[in-house]
Amino acid sequence: MNRLIRIAVGSLFVGFAAVGCDESSSKPIAESQPGMGEVVSVDPPFGIKLTLAGGTETSVEIEGFTVYESRPPRDGQPQAPQGYELSGKQFMLAGRLAPGAKVAPAGTYADLEDAKLQVLPRGGDPLAPGVSKLSLGDGKDYVVVEGSMVIDRAFQKAGSYAGLQGSFELLLQETKFGESEDPNKPADEKIGEPVKASGTFVSKARSVKYEQM
């Protein structure tokens, strides 16, 4: 994939690299920009909080929210919806925006306010789709069967970053991961019945331009 170059725009935060790209660059927004949401002067409490049905709340260290520009349409077909990934430590929710939503590469995150996004088993980066799965620190791993996400607020800190705040509802399947690509080793094994989960997040955001050379 060394011929693929991806360009990230809209915000800067250390340690958050684009998935599936050989080279990416981020730069801080110079001033407050239209379309990026309300301007804040104080950093909000960034992070992810998730609660299993009937369980206790778990806090997850946030990494970031990325919106990916879609691959250009081919053969007269409509362009696929843009993808997104919300990532944290041992946590990934990947999915897509509503058809026609054009957030990347301009970073017009305010267009996502009150939008309901799909959370899919795989999605996000069109070149290297992310897998929606998570671990809760109790030795259990889960994959996302289905879900949805609502963006409550877009915001920006002028000269620093753009951000998003929202909530999500998930149906999770506890899974013992195997070696599904090796027929001589155990495949993934489902454990028990799917369980419902809900959560909230506050994250820095960026957008990634699709560019293939």
Side-chain angles (χ1 to χ4, degrees):
M1 198 180 291
N2 57 3
R3 297 180 60 196
L4 299 176
I5 299 177
R6 311 295 300 283
I7 303 173
V9 298
S11 62
L12 173 66
F13 43 101
V14 177
F16 182 28
V19 178
C21 51
D22 294 317
E23 180 180 343
S24 64
S25 61
S26 297
K27 59 183 179 180
I29 55 178
E31 301 291 344
S32 59
Q33 297 185 19
M36 285 190 177
E38 66 177 288
V39 178
V40 299
S41 58
V42 178
D43 293 339
F46 295 110
I48 301 169
K49 293 183 179 180
L50 180 139
T51 303
L52 289 176
T56 58
E57 184 181 89
T58 300
S59 295
V60 179
E61 182 180 343
I62 193 85
E63 291 176 356
F65 191 108
T66 304
V67 180
Y68 294 91
E69 185 179 26
S70 303
R71 184 192 303 269
R74 298 178 178 178
D75 303 322
Q77 297 296 316
Q79 189 167 17
Q82 295 193 343
Y84 74 88
E85 293 172 355
L86 172 65
S87 60
K89 186 176 182 180
Q90 297 186 328
F91 182 101
M92 170 72 77
L93 297 183
R96 62 189 180 196
L97 309 187
K102 304 293 184 184
V103 173
T108 53
Y109 306 110
D111 291 344
L112 294 177
E113 289 184 333
D114 300 323
K116 188 173 184 178
L117 315 181
Q118 287 184 295
V119 181
L120 303 172
R122 295 177 66 88
D125 189 339
L127 299 177
V131 178
S132 295
K133 60 182 181 179
L134 53 100
S135 299
L136 300 181
D138 57 359
K140 297 180 180 181
D141 298 310
Y142 298 87
V143 296
V144 176
V145 178
E146 61 183 15
S148 62
M149 178 183 298
V150 175
I151 304 300
D152 301 318
R153 181 173 71 124
F155 58 92
Q156 58 181 305
K157 189 173 183 180
S160 185
Y161 60 78
L164 292 168
Q165 176 180 329
S167 60
F168 51 84
E169 300 283 342
L170 307 172
L171 184 64
L172 303 176
Q173 174 65 60
E174 185 181 351
T175 302
K176 181 179 180 181
F177 294 116
E179 298 289 342
S180 57
E181 296 182 359
D182 187 339
N184 298 316
K185 294 184 179 180
D188 294 350
E189 178 184 352
K190 296 180 180 179
I191 300 175
E193 296 296 322
V195 295
K196 293 183 178 181
S198 60
T200 60
F201 70 91
V202 182
S203 175
K204 292 178 181 177
R206 69 172 185 172
S207 59
V208 177
K209 178 179 176 61
Y210 184 93
E211 185 169 346
Q212 182 171 348
M213 297 183 65

